């Protein structure tokens, strides 16, 4: 998707700030439930499910690593612009940040969103968040969302390096036969079907990222794309297979080891540290199958430099209004 306003495509002049837009996460035990309520507002998620997820966060002191990693990314950026940061679900909230940008005299900002792929939840919802923050503030700065970067050489290089490191961490006797298992957040099948301007973009872009990483690391090595962190009611179809189900299937096939590569995330979310580093790792241990996890892109130098490269590109064209539509919500 492209600009949140009507800027001419191809005109990248005039940015006077960079806005990093992210999901947000709790930074203490008392933050967890209010944060989760922000995340699921209007979705009819049962209280029991919220309490279950809250327990995941409390296991790690009520702190998600995502905000810390956003700060580290911002500190690492080498751009000749003031950098602002606003979140969808927790402090610093996007609305507050846009207000501060206006007070500081920002007129036209580029928005880098910490989600690389097209779908409602990873793109359209961020565009809607930005539009809502601007609409609430007369005279708000123009904000242009930078393009998707799932296939950008900087993102691919970062994930390829981290995948090599994870492979090297496996015992030597199982390294050759290790399977690369790429993971991303599951979404409802209905959302996946409508992702992008003509549908199916979320899965297609993830597969392309995986293909590019494998080509850079060890072309010809077997790999899979699987899903994690589904949160919807059981009667609603979500993308499958789940990563833990897939690990059991690979073990049954005799695959000697696995490297998990969380290409669906650019930094460690709770979904990474709990669903992969805790649940999936525990299952692999139970199965007796060696498993390592590749780091997310984080502050890898090529990923950091990618942001400056995106800023130097012509401004992307606005996306069609029908792209990545909001899912129909079931009554709660």
């Amino acid at each position: 998707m492209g600009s949140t306003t009507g800027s001419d495509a191809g005109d990248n002049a005039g940015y006077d700030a960079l806005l990093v837009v992210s999901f947000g996460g709790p930074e203490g035990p008392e933050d967890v439930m209010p944060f989760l309520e922000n995340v699921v507002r209007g979705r009819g998620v049962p209280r029991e499910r919220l309490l279950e997820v809250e327990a995941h966060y409390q296991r790690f002191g009520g702190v998600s690593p995502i905000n810390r990693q956003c700060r580290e990314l911002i500190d690492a950026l080498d751009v000749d612009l003031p950098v602002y940061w606003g979140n969808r679900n927790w402090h610093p909230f996007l609305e507050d940040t846009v207000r501060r940008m206006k007070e500081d005299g920002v007129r036209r900002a580029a928005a880098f969103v910490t989600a690389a792929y097209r779908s409602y939840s990873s793109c359209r919802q961020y565009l809607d968040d930005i539009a809502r923050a601007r609409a609430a503030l007369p005279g708000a700065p123009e904000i242009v969302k930078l393009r998707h970067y799932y296939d950008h050489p900087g993102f691919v290089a970062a994930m390829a390096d981290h995948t090599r490191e994870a492979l090297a961490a496996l015992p030597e006797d199982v390294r050759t036969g290790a399977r690369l298992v790429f993971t991303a957040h599951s979404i409802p099948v209905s959302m996946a079907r409508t992702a992008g301007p003509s549908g199916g973009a979320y899965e297609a872009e993830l597969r392309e990222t995986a293909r590019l990483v494998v080509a850079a690391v060890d072309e010809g090595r077997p790999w899979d794309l699987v899903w994690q962190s589904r949160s919807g009611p059981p009667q609603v179809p979500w993308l499958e297979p789940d990563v833990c189900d897939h690990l059991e299937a690979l073990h049954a096939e005799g695959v000697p080891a696995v490297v998990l590569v969380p290409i669906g995330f650019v930094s460690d979310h709770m979904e990474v540290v709990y669903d992969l580093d805790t649940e999936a790792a525990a299952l692999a241990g139970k199965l007796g199958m060696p498993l390592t996890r590749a780091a997310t892109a984080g502050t890898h130098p090529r990923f950091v430099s990618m942001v400056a490269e995106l800023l130097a590109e012509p401004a992307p064209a606005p996306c069609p209004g029908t792209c990545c539509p909001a899912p129909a919500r079931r009554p709660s």
Side-chain angles (χ1 to χ4, degrees):
M1 294 186 182
S3 170
T4 64
T5 69
S7 299
D8 293 337
D11 176 17
N12 68 333
Y15 293 142
D16 53 4
L18 173 65
L19 171 63
V20 175
V21 184
S22 195
F23 190 80
E27 299 195 80
E30 68 283 354
D31 296 345
V32 176
M33 187 54 73
F35 161 76
L36 292 175
E37 289 170 344
N38 286 339
V39 172
V40 304
R41 183 168 289 118
R43 290 171 49 188
V45 175
R47 185 73 176 178
E48 295 75 17
R49 174 58 180 163
L50 286 186
L51 292 171
E52 178 185 342
V53 177
E54 182 191 27
H56 298 171
Y57 283 89
Q58 299 298 1
R59 180 171 180 164
F60 296 92
V63 179
S64 168
I66 187 173
N67 275 6
R68 173 180 54 79
Q69 294 198 1
C70 275
R71 293 185 183 99
E72 291 171 352
L73 174 62
I74 289 167
D75 288 344
L77 292 175
D78 184 16
V79 296
D80 190 23
L81 292 171
V83 181
Y84 295 81
W85 169 33
N87 288 327
R88 171 185 294 167
N89 297 300
W90 202 245
H91 305 281
F93 285 111
L94 182 60
E95 296 89 339
D96 297 334
T97 300
V98 172
R99 182 177 299 107
R100 184 158 61 90
M101 292 166 67
K102 180 193 174 185
E103 292 169 353
D104 290 348
V106 174
R107 299 179 62 85
R108 185 172 189 255
F112 173 77
V113 175
T114 60
Y117 307 93
R118 280 182 287 190
S119 75
Y120 170 73
S121 58
S122 61
C123 185
R124 167 64 66 184
Q125 193 171 4
Y126 283 108
L127 286 172
D128 291 347
D129 293 338
I130 292 169
R132 187 162 44 250
R134 295 185 68 248
L137 187 66
E142 177 186 9
I143 299 175
V144 178
K145 181 180 179 297
L146 298 175
R147 72 166 174 92
H148 299 96
Y149 46 88
Y150 67 93
D151 58 350
H152 191 286
F155 182 43
V156 173
M159 294 311 301
D161 279 353
H162 290 160
T163 301
R164 291 187 194 97
E165 292 165 2
L167 271 168
L170 286 170
E172 190 172 354
D173 61 332
V174 296
R175 198 176 301 156
T176 300
R179 184 77 61 92
L180 300 182
V181 176
F182 294 88
T183 75
H185 205 301
S186 184
I187 61 174
V189 170
S190 59
M191 187 189 295
R193 287 174 178 161
T194 59
S198 56
Y202 184 65
E203 291 179 89
E205 290 171 358
L206 282 157
R207 290 190 183 281
E208 178 62 6
T209 304
R211 185 191 70 79
L212 290 169
V213 171
V214 174
V217 172
D218 184 5
E219 193 158 19
R221 181 181 288 270
W223 63 273
D224 308 297
L225 174 64
V226 304
W227 311 97
Q228 61 172 93
S229 314
R230 78 158 281 163
S231 59
Q235 66 271 23
V236 177
W238 283 50
L239 294 176
E240 295 179 336
D242 175 79
V243 59
C244 286
D245 294 339
H246 192 64
L247 291 179
E248 291 184 328
L250 292 179
H251 177 68
E253 292 172 15
V255 172
V258 165
V259 172
L260 296 179
V261 188
I263 53 167
F265 306 86
V266 302
S267 64
D268 289 359
H269 295 205
M270 185 54 62
E271 290 88 343
V272 175
V273 299
Y274 184 81
D275 296 350
L276 300 184
D277 295 348
T278 304
E279 283 196 327
L283 174 61
K286 179 181 175 182
L287 296 173
M289 183 166 63
L291 179 144
T292 57
R293 195 263 288 177
T296 50
T299 56
H300 187 286
R302 285 294 289 115
F303 185 68
V304 171
S305 65
M306 178 197 76
V307 180
E309 292 166 21
L310 292 173
L311 276 169
E313 293 181 357
C319 66
T322 55
C323 188
C324 300
R329 300 296 189 197
R330 293 174 174 244
S332 53

